[in-house]
Amino acid sequence: MWSALHGDPAVLPAAERSLARAPFGSGAARAATLHIRPERGQDTFEASIVADLKDAVSRYPADGRLQRLVRELRAESEVFAHHWATRTTAAQHTSDRKTIRHPEAGDIHLDCDVLVVPGADLRRVTYTAATGSSDAGKVDLLRVGARTAAPRPCPAASWP
């Protein structure tokens, strides 16, 4: 369903598959998420990503790949660098309402919940639509299509 909604992440280069690259990078990961609009605002989402990275860095200070990711994002994105320098408290991303602009189904309004396993590096993102809504119908159509469709690239549609 993730691929049906967002496009197949396997088509992204491996280095672009970090969620942190979506709001702060300039490559394929960013292009793949330009079709998502969080109701609580992009700044809140960005702050939660930075908080998650700060938490990871504090737990894994010797992880070279993690350190490299933070260095690259600080150099590439002024917004990331600002959040990194100013955000000191965790702003964990747990729920939001998002509008996803899908290339075939149009705008889909979904509740997004991030389930976090305490003490683990596991997060599960779930999207739900109100029962009986047109958004639920769109998700059902995507679910049926996902069973038969070939993988498609992540969409690069953005907001007007």
Side-chain angles (χ1 to χ4, degrees):
M1 276 307 298
W2 181 272
S3 293
L5 193 58
H6 295 291
D8 187 0
V11 302
L12 294 174
E16 287 289 312
R17 293 183 195 155
S18 168
L19 181 59
R21 293 214 184 265
F24 303 114
S26 60
R30 181 170 184 81
T33 58
L34 289 176
H35 67 288
I36 302 170
R37 179 174 287 169
E39 189 173 274
R40 292 175 55 205
Q42 189 65 19
D43 185 66
T44 301
F45 176 69
E46 291 167 354
S48 71
I49 297 297
V50 172
D52 279 349
L53 276 175
K54 281 187 168 190
D55 180 58
V57 166
S58 72
R59 289 184 294 122
Y60 305 105
D63 186 318
R65 286 181 15 182
L66 183 58
Q67 296 292 339
R68 186 172 47 257
L69 174 64
V70 170
R71 264 193 323 273
E72 289 172 2
L73 292 175
R74 288 177 76 184
E76 186 172 351
S77 169
E78 289 181 26
V79 174
F80 181 87
H82 173 75
H83 281 298
W84 190 264
T86 59
R87 303 286 179 170
T88 56
T89 59
Q92 196 171 61
H93 183 66
T94 55
S95 66
D96 200 353
R97 183 150 175 83
K98 295 185 179 183
T99 300
I100 297 171
R101 179 158 286 170
H102 191 275
E104 288 100 30
D107 287 357
I108 307 171
H109 308 283
L110 300 169
D111 290 320
C112 174
D113 295 294
V114 180
L115 309 172
V116 179
V117 177
D121 294 327
L122 179 63
R123 284 163 177 65
R124 182 170 187 115
V125 178
T126 61
Y127 289 109
T128 54
T131 304
S133 68
S134 64
D135 297 310
K138 290 176 183 181
V139 170
D140 286 342
L141 286 173
L142 291 175
R143 183 178 299 112
V144 170
R147 293 182 187 147
T148 59
R152 66 176 176 82
C154 296
S158 62
W159 299 97

